[in-house]
Amino acid sequence: MKKSFATLVVAAVMLVGCGRGDGRLTKVSLDGEYAHKVDSVLKLMTLDEKIGQMNQYSCDALVTGPATRDEDKVQQIIDGRIGSMLNLIGAQKTREAQEFAMQSRLQIPLVFGLDVIHGMRTVYPLPLAEAASFDLDLIQRTAAGAAREAASQGIHWTFAPMVDIARDARWGRVMEGAGEDTWWGSRVAEARVHGFQGDDLSDTGTVMACVKHFAAYGAGIAGKDYNTVDMSDVTLHEIYLPPYEAGAKAGAATFMNSFNDINGIPATANEYIQRTLLKGDWGFRGFTVSDWGSIGEVVNHRYVADLKGAAEAAVLAGSDMDMESRAYVAHLKELVEDGTVPMEYIDDAVRRILLKKFELGLFDDPFRYCDEEREANTVLSPELRALSREAGDRSIVLLKNSSVLPLAEKPGTIALIGGLADSKADMIGFWANQGNIPAVVTVREGLEMRYPSSHILYAPGYDFESGMKTHEGEHLAQPVNPAKIAEAKAVASKADVVIVAVGERGDWSGESKSRADISVPADHQLLVQELKKTGKPVIVLVMCGRPVTFGDMEPSADAIVLTWWLGTEAGNAIADVLSGDYNPSGRLPITFPRVTGQCPIYYNHKSTGRPENDSWQYITSYTDVDYTPAYPFGFGLSYTTFEISEPKLEKSVFGMDEQIKAVVTVSNTGSVAGRETVQLYVRDEVASMTRNVKDLRGIVQVDLQPGESRDVEFVIGRDDLGFYNQKLEFITEPGEFTLMAGSNSRDVKGTKFTLE
Ligand code: GLC
């Protein structure tokens, strides 16, 4: 298509805007009680002290990146050369570090950060698992619970929520976000920011949030971590940026930029996203922190020649605090003194950092979060454990059930197979470094507590080392460890029902954990098939941090329960669902492919010129695998059944600015109470840009008794129907649309309407 001159001009401005400083400093607007206080401190500070505030080091005890050692950190704190520490935990240890800061000339308090991603000592389900609950209130409550526990341990700031949209399950960090959908990811971002921060950052039960990784870190080519991100500006704005914007608009105190480059510009040195968008258009008044060493890595990107160039590029682009690359402390003073970096850029960064320390109440009382009694009363409290169990219940997704679940009240002898069912450490998954592992309830313990009168037999079923190899496509005929499978079959033959736990190890999904083959290990698949030969009902628990492919085991499973990694109360939550004490209500926040080769795969794709269908071979598909996913976005079963009507509209033609109210009737057509997540999708039938086949624009959850029906209401407007055009203008065009309602992205009923 011939680009118009205007388009080329806009694109040129975009590229310039993405690149090195175009000199536009987006100053933070200070108002209210802190404006005077921040500036009264700023004017007392030397340049060294200002640069010190922009410097963050990790404590040596817990390292979450390639750390370098500085034995004299204490002296640097006293000299005012460090503004923040990460990975320092505990009321007592943070008090000690803060006492050193109080020896500095201006006594500016340190701010302590930590990756409280899905809990602190009490661990909640992975964020991807919690996203499967489709319960925003729950998601906000677990963030608030995590904040309470973290703050009681001296933490002021969590490096969460991670809001990176991920469409490729080969990327290990899919576990850390809310999945593939932009609308849902934006809602979860808002809920988690509100949960972490509450209404008052000075409340010693709240912490600063940190929206990350800015931006589009989940779009690395081929699902490889840290990899190149290269996409159209339209896709960047339509699919990847909205959750960050939602987090900013929700009031996030901080942002963390990302390791990747975006269309040729490293995010850490990317002025367009950090200044033009975040601090400019989105009105962000907080501060940005680099990811671990990412300022220094601008050199590795070969975007600058050396660390001094990296410091210059990053600070001009809007990176306010340097995590662990030591670029700022090494070079900013020289860059300011030789006029390369105007002092106003330093002052703006320091104002932003000081503003948050004032809002945290740290200038009033630097030790307000260092209360060992509050710590003892908060950590692993019964209410936090109960919250973790509730979240576990709601995160579990029932993928298959040929009426073997729920278990009978007296299930007889249970054969529990699989080392994962007896492992505490795996249950907390990745990014739970501070989780209390001895406190974790395993599946085995959960079942023993739920069924005290049942005889629960156990066998490991596979070897945790040799038995974890994946062989997608090779369909291994022989198990690596036949003796373990034989032992498991012998145990199963004595039971009335078999429950087998398969999948990943708890640390298989996470940072630097991309996998080129996301299949369940071959020995696990063979184990399930062999167990089925005993003739017993076989219930498969899939334990993982990402979508995995089931290969040959699926037909042998009478039920498949996706448990993810559920955290401290994993065993109890799984027992709640297997027993029917909780009727599973989870829905997939990310598509499960049949084979890895389908990645990236997501529901809101384009039609293409040869849309997917079953009637013709010349379509957008493969010759060796069905084009559909194994389980679509939004999918999940219940122990009951639901009927969802098409959306009902009061008329069929609406004005551009009219609100469109759609009513959907949901009925529980089964025999037990249950929760349904009604999903509303929109589709622009014909537009001046190719549009997705559907996009999620609303969910409503309803709890219904058997036989009960209820009308649920959705209200959408023009912005729900809009898209970015080639000029990056967000527009909504008149024409025909379809509203679709359903229990997942595949099984929907539609109603057409016209927008004038
Ligand atoms: C890691 C992660 C980031 C985390 C930071 C501090 O490399 O990319 O998400 O917050 O370093 O641990």
Side-chain angles (χ1 to χ4, degrees):
M1 177 188 85
K2 187 176 179 313
K3 289 189 184 306
S4 70
F5 177 70
T7 303
L8 291 175
V9 166
V10 168
V13 168
M14 282 288 299
L15 286 174
V16 167
C18 278
R20 289 175 179 24
D22 60 10
R24 207 158 78 84
L25 174 59
T26 41
K27 282 186 177 179
V28 63
S29 61
L30 293 186
D31 51 19
E33 62 174 313
Y34 296 126
H36 170 66
K37 291 179 178 177
V38 165
D39 281 331
S40 63
V41 173
L42 188 70
K43 70 174 55 148
L44 299 175
M45 296 171 78
T46 66
L47 177 55
D48 282 334
E49 289 165 333
K50 291 178 182 178
I51 294 168
Q53 287 302 304
M54 300 167 71
N55 184 39
Q56 180 187 60
Y57 285 153
S58 174
C59 92
D60 296 341
L62 185 63
V63 174
T64 54
T68 54
R69 290 279 181 274
D70 277 279
E71 301 321 316
D72 66 340
K73 279 179 188 142
V74 169
Q75 192 52 51
Q76 291 184 59
I77 292 172
I78 294 170
D79 295 344
R81 309 281 283 145
I82 302 176
S84 171
M85 296 286 291
L86 70 143
N87 295 329
L88 193 62
I89 300 173
Q92 190 257 334
K93 286 184 180 173
T94 52
R95 174 181 291 277
E96 284 169 6
Q98 202 67 285
E99 280 165 353
F100 292 125
M102 291 306 109
Q103 296 176 34
S104 65
R105 188 177 75 88
L106 293 176
Q107 298 185 329
I108 297 174
L110 291 166
V111 62
F112 298 116
L114 184 70
D115 293 288
V116 185
I117 308 299
H118 54 108
M120 186 80 187
R121 301 294 186 210
T122 308
V123 182
Y124 302 98
L126 298 182
L128 185 63
E130 267 196 10
S133 72
F134 280 89
D135 184 337
L136 290 171
D137 173 65
L138 171 77
I139 290 168
Q140 182 161 333
R141 286 188 288 121
T142 58
R148 236 177 4 263
E149 197 171 34
S152 80
Q153 295 209 275
I155 303 304
H156 307 132
W157 176 22
T158 177
F159 302 128
M162 182 275 221
V163 304
D164 308 324
I165 293 298
R167 294 172 143 181
D168 191 327
R170 291 174 293 181
W171 188 48
R173 299 191 79 163
V174 289
M175 51 69 60
E176 204 173 337
E180 72 190 47
D181 184 71
T182 302
W183 181 87
W184 178 237
S186 300
R187 304 294 78 74
V188 171
E190 292 160 351
R192 301 201 82 208
V193 167
H194 291 144
F196 287 130
Q197 297 189 166
D199 299 326
D200 176 4
L201 282 181
S202 68
D203 179 329
T204 53
T206 65
V207 296
M208 291 199 297
C210 181
V211 173
K212 71 183 187 183
H213 303 81
F214 194 47
Y217 178 35
I221 292 172
K224 288 199 281 188
D225 210 348
Y226 318 118
N227 205 9
T228 304
V229 168
D230 200 278
M231 63 177 70
S232 71
D233 289 321
V234 169
T235 299
L236 179 64
H237 280 264
E238 177 187 338
I239 301 296
Y240 290 92
L241 289 179
Y244 303 107
E245 182 174 4
K249 300 279 173 74
T254 67
F255 260 61
M256 180 183 291
N257 50 44
S258 54
F259 292 118
N260 55 285
D261 61 339
I262 307 168
N263 297 341
I265 311 292
T268 306
N270 196 310
E271 181 173 339
Y272 174 64
I273 61 167
Q274 294 189 107
R275 290 200 185 283
T276 307
L277 289 183
L278 178 61
K279 295 176 177 179
D281 298 351
W282 301 350
F284 175 66
R285 298 178 65 244
F287 68 86
T288 59
V289 63
S290 76
D291 201 340
W292 187 294
S294 71
I295 293 179
E297 291 177 11
V298 174
V299 180
N300 301 345
H301 280 284
R302 297 179 22 248
Y303 183 72
V304 294
D306 53 29
L307 198 60
K308 180 180 174 184
E312 174 192 346
V315 75
L316 290 179
S319 289
D320 300 315
M321 187 180 281
D322 172 5
M323 181 191 290
E324 273 291 348
S325 80
R326 291 151 169 72
Y328 285 0
V329 286
H331 296 292
L332 273 188
K333 182 169 187 177
E334 178 190 350
L335 287 163
V336 171
E337 288 171 347
D338 71 15
T340 307
V341 172
M343 177 65 90
E344 61 179 345
Y345 280 77
I346 306 296
D347 286 347
D348 184 67
V350 177
R351 273 198 185 92
R352 290 170 181 272
I353 294 164
L354 293 177
L355 173 63
K356 292 310 165 191
K357 292 185 175 183
F358 272 107
E359 289 177 0
L360 284 165
L362 293 176
F363 277 96
D364 295 337
D365 173 5
F367 305 103
R368 59 191 293 110
Y369 292 79
C370 308
D371 180 329
E372 291 181 73
E373 186 183 350
R374 181 170 63 230
E375 179 178 26
N377 294 332
T378 308
V379 169
L380 278 169
S381 67
E383 59 266 15
L384 292 179
R385 292 195 70 137
L387 179 58
S388 177
R389 181 169 181 168
E390 178 191 357
D393 289 348
R394 296 182 190 283
S395 301
I396 291 170
V397 184
L398 181 62
L399 295 177
K400 179 180 182 181
N401 184 21
S402 50
S403 75
V404 293
L405 285 176
L407 295 173
E409 190 41 44
K410 295 193 180 305
T413 300
I414 296 173
L416 180 62
I417 309 295
L420 290 173
D422 197 30
S423 163
K424 288 180 180 285
D426 290 286
M427 292 306 108
I428 61 176
F430 204 91
W431 285 123
N433 302 326
Q434 49 282 344
N436 182 309
I437 291 175
V440 170
V441 178
T442 65
V443 177
R444 189 175 186 179
E445 292 166 336
L447 287 173
E448 286 166 351
M449 284 189 276
R450 178 58 182 80
Y451 293 109
S453 57
S454 278
H455 194 190
I456 297 178
L457 309 174
Y458 170 76
Y462 39 78
D463 181 279
F464 258 161
E465 298 306 323
S466 63
M468 299 300 282
K469 293 180 174 43
T470 60
H471 298 274
E472 187 169 282
E474 291 175 30
H475 303 292
L476 263 196
Q478 293 306 319
V480 170
N481 205 309
K484 287 211 180 294
I485 291 182
E487 176 196 23
K489 282 179 77 174
V491 166
S493 61
K494 300 171 190 162
D496 298 297
V497 62
V498 179
I499 299 171
V500 54
V502 300
E504 294 190 316
R505 293 305 302 270
D507 63 356
W508 276 25
S509 293
E511 181 175 357
S512 73
K513 300 290 185 166
S514 293
R515 290 175 59 192
D517 174 349
I518 58 172
S519 61
V520 166
D523 261 28
H524 295 201
Q525 296 184 38
L526 289 167
L527 171 65
V528 171
Q529 294 170 71
E530 287 301 310
L531 288 170
K532 189 55 197 163
K533 291 175 184 172
T534 65
K536 312 288 184 178
V538 174
I539 296 157
V540 177
L541 306 181
V542 177
M543 314 191 98
C544 55
R546 73 173 89 202
V548 290
T549 60
F550 300 159
D552 296 335
M553 78 175 186
E554 198 281 338
S556 302
D558 294 299
I560 299 177
V561 182
L562 173 63
T563 71
W564 312 101
W565 301 120
L566 298 174
T568 304
E569 289 288 325
N572 284 330
I574 291 166
D576 288 343
V577 166
L578 295 180
S579 64
D581 291 348
Y582 184 78
N583 182 356
S585 57
R587 299 287 182 269
L588 293 180
I590 191 167
T591 300
F592 269 56
R594 296 176 186 280
V595 294
T596 307
Q598 288 182 288
C599 293
I601 182 171
Y602 44 93
Y603 83 92
N604 53 344
H605 55 80
K606 301 291 183 72
S607 293
T608 79
R610 296 193 170 183
E612 294 171 341
N613 66 67
D614 296 319
S615 60
W616 198 34
Q617 75 174 80
Y618 300 99
I619 61 169
T620 311
S621 183
Y622 306 96
T623 57
D624 54 354
V625 71
D626 188 305
Y627 65 78
T628 60
Y631 301 94
F633 174 86
F635 181 83
L637 300 176
S638 169
Y639 292 147
T640 188
T641 52
F642 296 99
E643 180 66 35
I644 296 176
S645 76
E646 76 290 351
K648 289 165 275 189
L649 306 175
E650 55 198 19
K651 54 185 180 177
S652 61
V653 180
F654 294 86
M656 182 60 76
D657 292 319
E658 271 191 85
Q659 289 215 312
I660 299 164
K661 185 173 75 173
V663 175
V664 176
T665 302
V666 200
S667 305
N668 180 339
T669 52
S671 58
V672 294
R675 163 173 287 202
E676 177 59 292
T677 298
V678 185
Q679 299 151 46
L680 184 81
Y681 296 90
V682 301
R683 174 186 168 106
D684 187 344
E685 292 299 339
V686 176
S688 60
M689 295 276 283
T690 54
R691 301 298 310 125
N692 300 333
V693 293
K694 60 172 73 81
D695 281 298
L696 182 68
R697 285 294 179 267
I699 59 128
V700 173
Q701 286 190 319
V702 281
D703 295 312
L704 297 174
Q705 293 301 317
E708 184 182 4
S709 289
R710 194 170 310 159
D711 283 353
V712 296
E713 186 174 291
F714 296 90
V715 178
I716 61 167
R718 63 181 297 166
D719 285 351
D720 297 302
L721 306 169
F723 59 90
Y724 286 93
N725 65 13
Q726 280 286 4
K727 297 175 186 172
L728 266 192
E729 297 157 340
F730 188 79
I731 62 172
T732 303
E733 292 177 333
E736 188 171 78
F737 291 81
T738 303
L739 274 188
M740 292 161 272
S743 56
N744 63 68
S745 57
R746 176 192 64 201
D747 306 320
V748 293
K749 294 174 185 169
T751 303
K752 291 194 183 306
F753 69 92
T754 302
L755 202 57
E756 287 186 327

